[in-house]
Amino acid sequence: ARVFSIGQASKENAWNVFVHDVSDRSASYLIMMDGDVQLINPDSLWLLISELETNPHARIAGGNTVKDIGMKWSLNPLHWLSLATTSLRMTQPGQLCGMLYCGRTVFLRRFRVPEFIVGEDAFLHAMTATSLFTEPPDQTRFVRVEDATVMFEAYTTPRSVWKNLKRRQVGYCIKGHVPVFCENCSSTSRCGEP
């Protein structure tokens, strides 16, 4: 393993530097994992790769999330609400867990995440579902691997829950508007191209 110091602090920039500059050029797959999560299943990374090996249509294999409060014995009402909202969201088709996913390198290296994007996972979702905005959305280009699980610290205060809800709304807006923005890009400079 190698550690790289990146001058510009942003998840979007780190994604671009990793995918295009520092990852192994011969790699078939790239795994992205947030620094503030913990692998629950030690086989999680292998399970993501295995899913892409056996499903040639999928471009991204995503993990599953567990909130740390789900491991506690006593929960307060805000904890129950937090757990319920995650369960609802993750049962919807085509959901991408931005905390842990594996992508085909040949696909990921076809684009860059623009610096103006807030929430690279919403952009990645849109790029993948539409095959770089060249085809109608196809949610089967994502596969969620149930046993590839990470745990993260849940938002449990009213302030942190509110901030997270606002951030999610921004992500949903991006997912809905990026295709329109990119369709308006000139034909010589397609959105997100390296």
Side-chain angles (χ1 to χ4, degrees):
R2 300 176 290 171
V3 176
F4 291 90
S5 179
I6 301 173
Q8 180 185 341
S10 81
K11 193 170 178 185
E12 294 73 27
N13 182 57
W15 192 96
N16 288 329
V17 169
F18 175 68
V19 169
H20 296 286
D21 301 333
V22 300
S23 61
D24 187 332
R25 300 310 297 171
S26 65
S28 299
Y29 306 103
L30 296 177
I31 297 175
M32 309 295 187
M33 183 170 129
D34 286 0
D36 60 349
V37 299
Q38 176 183 346
L39 289 173
I40 298 296
N41 182 344
D43 294 328
S44 292
L45 305 182
W46 174 246
L47 291 169
L48 296 174
I49 293 170
S50 296
E51 182 62 36
L52 292 178
E53 286 282 324
T54 59
N55 184 345
H57 180 70
R59 295 185 180 152
I60 303 286
N64 215 5
T65 59
V66 174
K67 291 182 177 181
D68 62 340
I69 58 174
M71 304 292 194
K72 294 182 179 181
W73 287 101
S74 62
L75 300 175
N76 66 40
L78 192 55
H79 292 167
W80 284 110
L81 180 61
S82 178
L83 291 170
T85 57
T86 299
S87 298
L88 266 174
R89 187 175 52 81
M90 291 311 288
T91 58
Q92 298 170 354
Q95 290 296 310
L96 170 67
C97 169
M99 294 179 198
L100 174 67
Y101 60 90
C102 177
R104 296 184 188 282
T105 306
V106 68
F107 174 70
L108 297 176
R109 288 193 176 137
R110 291 178 58 199
F111 63 92
R112 288 185 177 272
V113 178
E115 291 180 25
F116 67 85
I117 293 293
V118 178
E120 94 298 341
D121 51 348
F123 180 77
L124 178 64
H125 180 279
M127 292 293 275
T128 306
T130 63
S131 192
L132 308 179
F133 305 112
T134 62
E135 299 174 14
D138 177 358
Q139 303 302 334
T140 64
R141 292 185 180 117
F142 296 97
V143 180
R144 186 169 57 245
V145 181
E146 293 297 326
D147 291 334
T149 309
V150 293
M151 181 173 63
F152 68 100
E153 185 178 346
Y155 302 105
T156 57
T157 66
R159 179 183 168 101
S160 65
V161 169
W162 178 250
K163 283 177 71 174
N164 184 51
L165 287 173
K166 287 194 311 185
R167 186 185 60 78
R168 287 207 174 280
Q169 288 306 312
V170 169
Y172 294 142
C173 287
I174 289 169
K175 197 165 27 172
H177 289 89
V178 165
V180 174
F181 173 81
C182 290
E183 286 172 4
N184 293 328
C185 291
S186 69
S187 59
T188 58
S189 174
R190 294 186 51 102
C191 182
E193 283 190 352

